[in-house]
């Protein structure tokens, strides 16, 4: 399958696949960002709920306001995360749970790496 097409804007992400008709995963990281008063440069890592058979890890880089869909074997973590979760009975958008990497950014080389901001 082809890599997904990602559009990120102010904490919101739209994820589509050219080969899957009518698939559009809408994600909104703003409820988590607001609930935990996250500021500055940080990354949020989550498990993509869809599409079945093509699920990957997703990284939202707040400093760059960008999103990357990553296979499990492509990611290195160099920052210790914190677990964050909002009440999914109150918050109706996804994701509702993430790993929060404070003071970090996503670096892309031959692989993806979450590294401290220097």
């Amino acid at each position: 399958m082809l890599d997904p097409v990602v559009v990120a804007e102010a904490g919101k992400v739209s994820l589509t696949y050219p080969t899957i008709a009518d698939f559009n995963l809408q994600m909104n990281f703003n409820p988590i960002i607001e609930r935990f008063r996250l500021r500055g440069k940080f990354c949020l890592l989550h498990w993509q709920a869809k599409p079945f058979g093509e699920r990957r890890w997703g990284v939202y880089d707040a400093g760059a306001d960008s999103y990357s869909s990553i296979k499990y074997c492509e990611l290195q973590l160099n920052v210790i995360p914190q677990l964050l979760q909002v009440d999914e009975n109150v918050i109706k958008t996804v994701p509702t749970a993430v790993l929060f990497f404070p003071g970090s950014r996503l670096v892309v080389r031959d692989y993806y790496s979450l590294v401290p901001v220097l």
Side-chain angles (χ1 to χ4, degrees), residues 1-4 17-20 23 51-56 71:
M1 179 162 292
L2 297 174
D3 285 333
Y17 284 86
T19 57
I20 303 176
F23 175 81
F52 184 77
E54 286 296 325
R55 297 178 190 175
R56 299 177 182 198
K71 295 176 185 174

Side-chain angles (χ1 to χ4, degrees), residues 74-116:
E74 298 176 329
L75 181 62
Q76 288 187 343
L77 306 176
N78 296 311
V79 178
I80 297 173
Q82 298 173 22
L83 304 173
L84 302 180
Q85 185 171 1
V86 294
D87 185 346
E88 61 188 26
N89 293 313
V90 176
I91 304 298
K92 300 299 182 185
T93 59
V94 293
T96 57
V98 298
L99 296 175
F100 167 57
F101 294 83
S104 65
R105 63 189 175 99
L106 183 66
V107 174
V108 181
R109 292 190 184 103
D110 294 332
Y111 53 88
Y112 295 87
S113 186
L114 286 172
V115 301

Side-chain angles (χ1 to χ4, degrees), residues 27 45-50 54-58 67 70-72 95 97-98:
M27 294 171 279
L45 175 69
H46 75 104
W47 179 243
Q48 292 174 350
K50 298 176 183 179
E54 286 296 325
R55 297 178 190 175
R56 299 177 182 198
W57 292 98
Y67 182 86
I70 301 170
K71 295 176 185 174
Y72 75 93
V98 298

